[in-house]
Amino acid sequence: MEMTILGCSGSLASPDNAASGYLLRMSDGQRILVDIGPGVLARLQVHDRPGDVHMVFSHLHPDHCLDFPSLAVWQRYHPTDAATRRHTLLGPSIAPVHLGRASADRLEDVDDFSDIFDMVTWSAPTEGPVAFPDPAYTEHRIGDARLYAAPAVHPTESYLMRIEDADGSSLVYSGDTAATPHLAAVATGADVLLCEATWGERDNGNNPPQMHLSGEEAGQAAAEAGVGRLVLTHIPPWGDVEGALRGARRFYDGPVEVAVPDMVVTPGL
Ligand SMILES: [Zn+2]
Ligand SMILES: [Zn+2]
């Protein structure tokens, strides 16, 4: 598996960085786009063909989904790169209505994407946390890839996800979440933890609860899970990048980086 960071700016796009969007190229040739915030579709056009991507959502806050209606336009109407098959759309249970309203022509309408997507709802353990692997995790398939979810702590229906490629590599993405023991559990032994670190050091004590992680909390989860590599993401344009990095390093002694646009990460290498 290979991941290209299309955008990683937290909460909104910045002048040189789209909001959240991560392109996964799997060993069986499938493309999986994880989140599609503002600016991500433009960057996807630079890196790959938007007409042939599956879509996975951590949650449906605007900074993670607002380019989706335009992706649907591309897959339906592009003269040479329209979708030639239905792709999988895996996300929260509210996705069909939430995204359908964002794409509708009239207030009372809900656009039906079933012409281009199979809409599948995440299934996650309701109890736990349990260290991965465990029968409590539901397996979702996209091609040869296996995807698993655990509950995140965030104001809307949100998931942590683990993606396992047929080549044996594994990636865990936190989406947006406050600290939760489910994160280290689902990330157990993963090659890469792509983890939000919205807050750095200068935010200490001023953070709203039940929303996001700090760099320190990302580092704690990475250490507890024993992941091979930690990539910090979702730092807002006004964020404390260096503080988040220092915080993560206080707890995790493996390799830590801050995500930047166009960065390529290869889990397992
Ligand atoms: Zn966000
Ligand atoms: Zn969010």
Side-chain angles (χ1 to χ4, degrees), residues 59 61 63-64 154-156 158 176 212 234:
H59 69 302
H61 272 156
D63 58 315
H64 297 255
H154 203 53
T156 184
S158 304
D176 286 5
H212 290 298
H234 200 277

Side-chain angles (χ1 to χ4, degrees), residues 15-212:
D16 55 2
N17 191 0
S20 295
Y22 308 95
L23 175 65
L24 308 183
R25 294 186 172 104
M26 311 305 290
S27 62
D28 65 355
Q30 311 268 347
R31 277 34 177 172
I32 300 174
L33 179 58
V34 179
D35 290 346
I36 181 167
V40 169
L41 182 58
R43 299 308 301 164
L44 179 59
Q45 292 170 58
V46 173
H47 287 281
D48 216 312
R49 294 192 301 108
D52 193 19
V53 294
H54 302 278
M55 198 60 249
V56 172
F57 287 100
S58 62
H59 69 302
L60 298 173
H61 272 156
D63 58 315
H64 297 255
C65 78
L66 276 190
D67 266 4
F68 178 77
S70 301
L71 176 68
V73 170
W74 184 293
Q75 292 209 351
R76 281 173 170 152
Y77 304 119
H78 194 284
T80 58
D81 187 40
T84 57
R85 57 180 174 141
R86 289 164 82 219
H87 294 95
T88 297
L89 187 157
L90 175 58
S93 65
I94 61 174
V97 173
H98 191 94
L99 298 170
R101 286 197 191 286
S103 179
D105 291 331
R106 294 177 301 177
L107 193 58
E108 64 274 22
D109 288 351
V110 177
D111 194 0
D112 175 2
F113 300 110
S114 60
D115 55 327
I116 44 174
F117 284 104
D118 280 320
M119 311 283 273
V120 182
T121 297
W122 280 121
S123 177
T126 52
E127 313 218 330
V130 281
F132 186 89
D134 188 281
Y137 292 104
T138 300
E139 181 179 293
H140 302 273
R141 295 292 295 259
I142 298 179
D144 292 339
R146 287 163 287 138
L147 299 92
Y148 307 86
V153 177
H154 203 53
T156 184
E157 182 186 350
S158 304
Y159 297 93
L160 320 167
M161 68 182 79
R162 182 178 181 119
I163 301 163
E164 302 247 316
D165 193 25
D167 68 6
S169 60
S170 53
L171 168 75
V172 171
Y173 170 47
S174 67
D176 286 5
T177 186
T180 166
H182 282 284
L183 179 55
V186 75
T188 301
D191 293 321
V192 172
L193 173 58
L194 174 66
C195 191
E196 73 130 302
T198 300
W199 291 310
E201 292 165 338
R202 64 174 187 245
D203 307 302
N204 283 348
N206 301 315
N207 306 330
Q210 311 286 294
M211 284 291 286
H212 290 298

